[in-house]
C-alpha cells in the first residue's frame, strides 16, 4: 500500500540532535510536498516544516527556524528532518505527511501520513 514510515526518534538531552527519516513506499516522494507535524500530549497537532515537490521551497515554524532542516534523498525515496539544538519544548510525536504538490499548513490537506515517531528532549 501507499505509505510513509517515520523513524529516528528517541531520547536526547537538551542541545542534542536527532535526524528523523520519512521513507515512502508505493509512490515517488519527489512528486509530493513533504511536511512534518508534531503533537504533544493534550496539544493540537502543529506544523513544523515542509518542503515542496520541487525541493526548492521550504517552510519552517518560528519555533524551529534555524534549528531544523529538511532534505531529500530521491535515490532512497526518503525525506529527512535534521533536528539540532533540541529543546524540551520539542518533545512530541512527530509525523511525516505528503501531498501533491505544494506545502500546506492544514492537516486535512495531506494524503499520506506516517505512524509517528516519539521525540523526547529532557535532562
Amino acid at each position: 500500500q501507499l505509505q510513509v514510515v517515520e523513524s529516528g526518534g528517541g531520547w536526547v538531552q537538551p542541545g542534542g540532535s536527532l535526524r528523523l527519516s520519512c521513507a515512502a513506499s508505493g509512490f515517488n516522494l519527489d512528486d509530493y510536498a513533504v511536511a512534518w507535524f508534531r503533537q504533544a500530549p493534550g496539544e493540537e497537532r502543529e506544523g513544523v516544516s515542509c518542503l515542496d515537490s520541487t525541493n526548492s521551497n521550504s517552510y519552517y515554524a518560528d519555533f524551529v527556524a534555524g534549528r531544523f532542516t529538511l532534505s531529500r534523498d530521491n535515490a532512497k525515496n526518503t525525506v529527512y528532518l535534521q533536528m539540532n539544538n533540541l529543546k524540551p519544548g520539542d518533545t512530541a510525536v512527530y509525523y511525516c505527511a505528503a501531498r501533491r504538490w505544494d506545502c500546506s499548513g492544514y492537516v486535512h490537506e495531506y494524503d499520506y501520513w506516517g505512524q509517528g515517531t516519539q521525540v523526547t528532549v529532557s535532562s
Side-chain angles (χ1 to χ4, degrees):
Q1 292 290 333
L2 307 181
Q3 62 178 347
V4 293
V5 177
E6 305 100 330
S7 62
W11 174 84
V12 66
Q13 291 184 304
S17 297
L18 289 171
R19 189 179 73 163
L20 305 184
S21 298
C22 176
S25 61
F27 67 100
N28 292 319
L29 203 56
D30 60 359
D31 291 330
Y32 290 77
V34 177
W36 288 88
F37 292 81
R38 70 186 189 186
Q39 188 167 22
E43 302 292 334
E44 298 287 334
R45 190 169 298 187
E46 61 182 353
V48 175
S49 185
C50 185
L51 184 64
D52 71 9
S53 62
T54 70
N55 204 42
S56 62
N57 296 303
S58 60
Y59 304 89
Y60 298 91
D62 289 342
F63 51 81
V64 303
R67 300 188 295 122
F68 292 9
T69 304
L70 278 170
S71 63
R72 290 180 184 266
D73 186 338
N74 290 331
K76 296 181 178 179
N77 208 23
T78 298
V79 166
Y80 302 99
L81 180 66
Q82 180 66 45
M83 310 165 69
N84 297 325
N85 192 24
L86 284 160
K87 303 176 180 180
D90 296 320
T91 296
V93 177
Y94 283 71
Y95 298 91
C96 176
R99 69 184 298 273
R100 292 190 176 186
W101 290 270
D102 301 317
C103 290
S104 171
Y106 297 102
V107 169
H108 69 272
E109 292 188 346
Y110 286 85
D111 301 310
Y112 303 104
W113 287 86
Q115 81 289 349
T117 185
Q118 176 71 48
V119 171
T120 302
V121 185
S122 68
S123 299

